[in-house]
Amino acid sequence: MTSAVDGQEPSGLAARLAAIDERIAAAARAAGRDPEELTRIVVTKFHPASLVEELCALGVRDVGENRQQELSAKQAELAALDLAWHFIGQGQTNKAAAIRRSADVVHSVDRDRFADALHRAADGDDALDVLVQVNLTDDPGRGGVAPADAVGLAEHVLALPSLRLRGVMAVAPLDEEPAGAFARLRDVSDAVRAAAPDATWISAGMTGDFVEAIAAGATHLRIGSAITGPRPDRG
């Protein structure tokens, strides 16, 4: 796991990054895990590209975006930087080509049609890393496939040669304890890995629940304002 630069007087951003990394490492050790197994993704939704440049200077290599337009604009502006761009928002099939051009990883494959659209957008590219998004709520309007259907979607992705299935992703419901929700996600992950042994990633955990996510086996954490600070006024 990448941590903040040592030996420098921290700015507010550097101090927040270091504090989160310390909490992640402590949670990993408490769960009997190696902090180096974890990937901390900094979500920079609505923040300017200049903030991403600052994060990169502090050692951040994994950046997350929720919106295709913002992902595309920042990735293009910062293409010279050594960054991995994670698309974590709900994907629309008509934006799949733009997402594929800009993202290194897509966390939110939640239906066959979106997977197909990402595959059709391949143009001699390397395989695109993707995760199956799982809906841990009873609300079918929320993003993600039902847990019972996750293996079927995973098998569909496996049949698309331009996509590389990496694992599963979910957001914990607001109306239950995250530990139970993430335990269910771990069960889904186990079922997916029975069909795809290399699909070992579990993208779960945000600022308020990453400790529980780590305890349940999360490998990729999506942390936003606890590192970046409050989102700027969009006007």
Side-chain angles (χ1 to χ4, degrees):
M1 180 185 67
T2 304
S3 61
V5 172
D6 294 326
Q8 296 184 8
E9 186 68 21
S11 66
L13 182 63
R16 292 191 297 269
L17 182 66
I20 285 292
D21 283 349
E22 288 170 7
R23 291 175 59 197
I24 290 171
R29 289 191 293 267
R33 300 181 61 194
D34 182 351
E36 295 297 323
E37 297 174 358
L38 305 176
T39 298
R40 177 252 299 121
I41 301 164
V42 183
V43 181
T44 60
K45 180 179 180 180
F46 300 146
H47 287 279
S50 59
L51 182 80
V52 181
E53 289 184 292
E54 292 181 57
L55 288 165
C56 186
L58 291 168
V60 169
R61 293 295 175 262
D62 293 272
V63 178
E65 291 293 340
N66 293 74
R67 300 165 66 247
Q68 174 269 314
Q69 297 93 326
E70 197 168 358
L71 167 72
S72 297
K74 289 180 184 174
Q75 190 278 334
E77 183 173 346
L78 304 174
L81 298 183
D82 180 19
L83 295 169
W85 293 90
H86 298 252
F87 181 72
I88 61 176
Q90 293 311 115
Q92 300 176 29
T93 56
N94 65 343
K95 296 182 178 180
I99 291 169
R100 177 152 196 160
R101 283 193 297 271
S102 301
D104 297 290
V105 187
V106 176
H107 290 236
S108 49
V109 174
D110 61 354
R111 60 201 186 280
D112 291 356
R113 288 184 61 233
F114 185 47
D116 292 342
L118 289 171
H119 173 60
R120 286 194 302 271
D123 183 17
D125 299 337
D126 293 335
L128 175 67
D129 289 337
V130 302
L131 296 94
V132 166
Q133 183 177 357
V134 180
N135 183 357
L136 297 176
T137 76
D138 295 324
D139 179 2
R142 294 288 297 272
V145 65
D149 298 326
V151 172
L153 178 55
E155 291 173 339
H156 185 85
V157 171
L158 289 170
L160 302 173
S162 79
L163 304 184
R164 181 188 295 115
L165 180 65
R166 286 297 199 177
V168 297
M169 182 272 262
V171 177
L174 296 176
D175 58 353
E176 72 169 290
E177 290 298 317
F182 291 142
R184 297 202 308 278
L185 181 63
R186 180 58 185 261
D187 290 341
V188 175
S189 172
D190 290 344
V192 168
R193 284 191 291 113
D198 292 335
T200 57
W201 295 6
I202 301 176
S203 173
M206 299 186 290
T207 298
D209 55 24
F210 68 76
V211 172
E212 292 88 347
I214 290 170
T219 61
H220 290 65
L221 314 171
R222 310 180 305 270
I223 312 294
S225 59
I227 293 172
T228 63
R231 291 172 181 165
D233 184 356
R234 300 177 65 198

